[in-house]
Amino acid sequence: MELIQALRVQGRVVSALTLRETRSRYGNSKLGFFWALFEPFAHIAVFMAIFSAMGRAIPIGDSMGVFILTGIAPWLLFSNIVTGIMGGVDGNRALLGYPQVMPIDTMISRILLETATIIIIFIFFVVLAINFDFTISLDDFLMMLSASGMIIVLAAGVGMINASIKLYFPSYATIYSALSRPFYFMSGIFFTADFLSPEILDLIDFNPILHIVEWLRSGFYTSFNSAFYDIEYVGTVTLVIFTLGLVAERATRKRARQI
Amino acid sequence: MIKLQNVCKSYKLKDSKKTILDNISFEFPEKKNIGVLGVNGAGKSTLLRLIAGTEFPDSGKIIRTGKYSWPLGFSGSFHGTLTGIENLRFACRIYNANIKEVTEFVKDFSELGKFIHEPIQTYSSGMRSRLAFALSMAIDFDVYLVDEIMGVGDQGFQEKCKDAFTAKRKYSSVIMVSHSMNTIRDFSDVAILLTGEHLEIHEDVDKAIDIYTKLTHG
């Protein structure tokens, strides 16, 4: 009974926080939604421009834009959740004055908001592509869902670990953003794994995001089934990082409230 | 019921440690209005936050039963960039209170007028505490935890606060921290004195105030 009661309270807190975050970002001006659309659009546009200048062929399907979308969407899902979680406590500092609002609630609400944003934007661009007569037939929806779920859990783990480190070293946020930058080029946003030489692939195949992007694309495209991604590997890495994240959050909870 | 069991609480300062509660076991008297007295830095506000559950003890246990308000203070639980109404809605959602009823009550009680639609960061501290006070009165709690905000505003508003509390007396009680001895005298049945080493309970509020005055003046 006590557990049910506690879950009910947490449910109320998370939904109230999610509502408030959504309102703050999208309620007060149209700029918020415009930015949410513009961010992936900018990435896609830049790569399309570079590749058409290089005369590179579209790796899968008939649209370069859609190909990059299927890479940039999981990437943004990952990086926006991580930065969202890292800023969750600071962005809701005053609301932690309510005893039932826990630091982890701010993190959960940001995961929900970032996920909903990316899903809506993904659908928006897919519908746009269909309107431009590109062929899109979702191959395996469940597979896309599993891959997306995996990257959300992975991001939650990384985000919680980062948020805990940031409590002790505030400048860590800058360090993390520098550390994570190379991953942008190693995550298959604008290439597929079989496009790389075995030597290079050997160097970057530890990157779970690359596996997840390949996995997601295998679900998205009928004509593409990657032999590269390894669900067992990604699952293990994700589970370890997520568990570490939960432990870190738990260990730093008191401090998060006090600062 | 509030029961402290072997509670320790301290803060790390630059190169020292400030101990606020050192292995305290204490049971608060039930259904009584309690005034908490203590010199600056003795940890009155911390004690209130520990009771509310917004802060945790370093070690030991705090057992509470009943519904407690958040600590009503100047710094507040209000988010600066949100408007008064938005903050109010947030509180209603997490306390499962009726938004419409609470809004009506708060608009009337707080006398904020159209400021209620402005961001909290534009409020004066008096306006903040009027909102906090009105909001907490609109939600039913068993115990109200009041950190200094009593005795703000003009005479009229103070009377209103007093009346609101008197009306609630049957079902609720208050634990308050205040520097104003008059406020403590007006509202408390018993007083708790925080001396830095231990908690002392005094059934006689006036006597507690005497001891406190001696502490602060010498």
Side-chain angles (χ1 to χ4, degrees):
Chain A
M1 274 324 281
E2 233 166 70
L3 181 72
I4 294 172
Q5 179 63 19
L7 283 177
R8 212 172 271 159
V9 172
Q10 197 180 21
R12 282 209 296 269
V13 171
V14 169
S15 72
L17 279 170
T18 312
L19 258 169
R20 99 126 201 95
E21 296 268 11
T22 312
R23 274 189 69 98
S24 297
R25 189 147 359 142
Y26 301 120
N28 300 332
S29 72
K30 295 200 173 57
L31 216 64
F33 189 68
F34 176 76
W35 170 242
L37 272 180
F38 179 76
E39 196 187 11
F41 174 78
H43 290 266
I44 294 170
V46 167
F47 279 120
M48 281 177 79
I50 293 172
F51 287 155
S52 74
M54 284 166 61
R56 224 187 97 184
I58 303 163
I60 324 165
D62 59 358
S63 155
M64 184 59 105
V66 172
F67 175 74
I68 292 163
L69 176 70
T70 54
I72 205 70
W75 168 261
L76 287 178
L77 190 55
F78 176 82
S79 62
N80 290 359
I81 285 177
V82 172
T83 42
I85 290 177
M86 286 172 79
V89 167
D90 287 339
N92 294 291
R93 172 67 56 208
L95 300 176
L96 294 176
Y98 293 109
Q100 62 271 62
V101 180
M102 304 294 275
I104 199 164
D105 298 325
T106 67
M107 300 175 184
I108 298 172
S109 73
R110 293 216 161 173
I111 294 173
L112 292 175
L113 177 60
E114 299 300 349
T115 305
T117 301
I118 296 293
I119 289 175
I120 290 168
I121 283 172
F122 186 80
I123 293 171
F124 176 87
F125 281 110
V126 166
V127 169
L128 196 72
I130 292 171
N131 273 319
F132 277 98
D133 280 341
F134 291 108
T135 36
I136 284 169
S137 55
L138 294 184
D139 178 30
D140 189 338
F141 188 65
L142 203 65
M143 205 171 183
M144 286 175 66
L145 221 57
S146 322
S148 311
M150 189 69 84
I151 206 154
I152 292 167
V153 179
L154 179 68
V158 174
M160 285 190 289
I161 293 171
N162 284 354
S164 309
I165 300 175
K166 205 182 119 195
L167 284 175
Y168 291 86
F169 309 101
S171 57
Y172 175 72
T174 331
I175 298 170
Y176 171 77
S177 93
L179 282 178
S180 67
R181 199 146 302 156
F183 280 82
Y184 183 79
F185 300 98
M186 310 193 305
S187 296
I189 296 168
F190 49 89
F191 59 84
T192 59
D194 58 6
F195 171 82
L196 301 174
S197 68
E199 294 80 23
I200 292 178
L201 196 56
D202 252 8
L203 283 175
I204 66 169
D205 68 355
F206 72 92
N207 176 11
I209 305 170
L210 175 61
H211 287 259
I212 295 175
V213 169
E214 290 272 309
W215 185 7
L216 188 115
R217 280 191 177 131
S218 302
F220 186 83
Y221 288 107
T222 324
S223 56
F224 179 69
N225 271 309
S226 168
F228 167 75
Y229 71 95
D230 180 347
I231 296 180
E232 207 173 302
Y233 170 72
V234 178
T236 313
V237 170
T238 302
L239 193 69
V240 169
I241 289 180
F242 185 67
T243 312
L244 279 176
L246 286 177
V247 171
E249 192 279 331
R250 181 80 229 201
T252 57
R253 195 174 277 181
K254 278 185 191 173
R255 195 182 169 88
R257 281 224 112 126
Q258 260 171 30
I259 292 176
Chain B
M1 179 192 71
I2 313 160
K3 216 166 149 184
L4 310 186
Q5 282 179 347
N6 307 99
V7 170
C8 294
K9 180 76 185 174
S10 60
Y11 286 107
K12 270 197 198 102
L13 303 175
K14 261 236 153 63
D15 37 27
S16 62
K17 214 166 98 174
K18 166 97 186 150
T19 304
I20 284 165
L21 298 173
D22 189 9
N23 200 21
I24 299 283
S25 296
F26 188 80
E27 191 170 341
F28 284 75
E30 266 189 82
K31 301 214 163 89
K32 290 220 166 124
N33 296 318
I34 303 169
V36 181
L37 298 167
V39 288
N40 269 334
K44 302 182 295 286
S45 300
T46 306
L47 181 67
L48 226 50
R49 285 200 296 274
L50 285 169
I51 294 171
T54 47
E55 263 187 54
F56 308 113
D58 299 335
S59 64
K61 241 181 165 178
I62 295 172
I63 301 162
R64 323 176 302 174
T65 50
K67 199 175 171 189
Y68 292 73
S69 78
W70 68 95
L72 304 165
F74 286 123
S75 53
S77 325
F78 294 137
H79 196 287
T81 59
L82 302 185
T83 67
I85 283 284
E86 284 168 338
N87 271 291
L88 176 156
R89 289 201 187 118
F90 183 83
C92 287
R93 286 192 189 104
I94 63 174
Y95 284 102
N96 206 16
N98 184 309
I99 293 181
K100 218 177 136 200
E101 282 170 24
V102 171
T103 309
E104 261 166 44
F105 180 91
V106 169
K107 270 187 178 163
D108 180 58
F109 194 99
S110 69
E111 300 166 17
L112 283 168
K114 54 183 195 300
F115 262 99
I116 203 147
H117 297 288
E118 295 293 323
I120 295 282
Q121 59 201 5
T122 64
Y123 284 26
S124 68
S125 62
M127 287 159 73
R128 271 173 199 240
S129 38
R130 254 149 60 199
L131 178 63
F133 196 85
L135 180 56
S136 70
M137 284 293 126
I139 303 171
D140 287 324
F141 293 110
D142 298 330
V143 181
Y144 289 83
L145 304 169
V146 181
D147 190 352
E148 292 285 1
I149 65 163
M150 213 81 94
V152 288
D154 51 27
Q155 200 68 37
F157 190 75
Q158 284 188 33
E159 287 297 322
K160 218 156 125 182
C161 293
K162 221 168 157 176
D163 291 347
F165 258 129
T166 316
K168 285 206 175 264
R169 236 187 171 113
K170 238 179 172 167
Y171 311 98
S172 322
S173 57
V174 54
I175 299 178
M176 70 159 68
V177 166
S178 180
H179 276 113
S180 150
M181 291 307 119
N182 287 334
T183 316
I184 296 275
R185 244 185 229 113
D186 281 351
F187 284 96
S188 331
D189 309 323
V190 293
I192 284 175
L193 198 59
L194 260 179
T195 61
E197 283 100 40
H198 54 276
L199 291 180
E200 272 173 30
I201 185 149
H202 290 271
E203 297 283 339
D204 185 346
V205 178
D206 286 319
K207 204 181 141 206
I209 291 176
D210 274 352
I211 300 174
Y212 168 77
T213 319
K214 272 183 201 135
L215 269 178
T216 47
H217 291 290

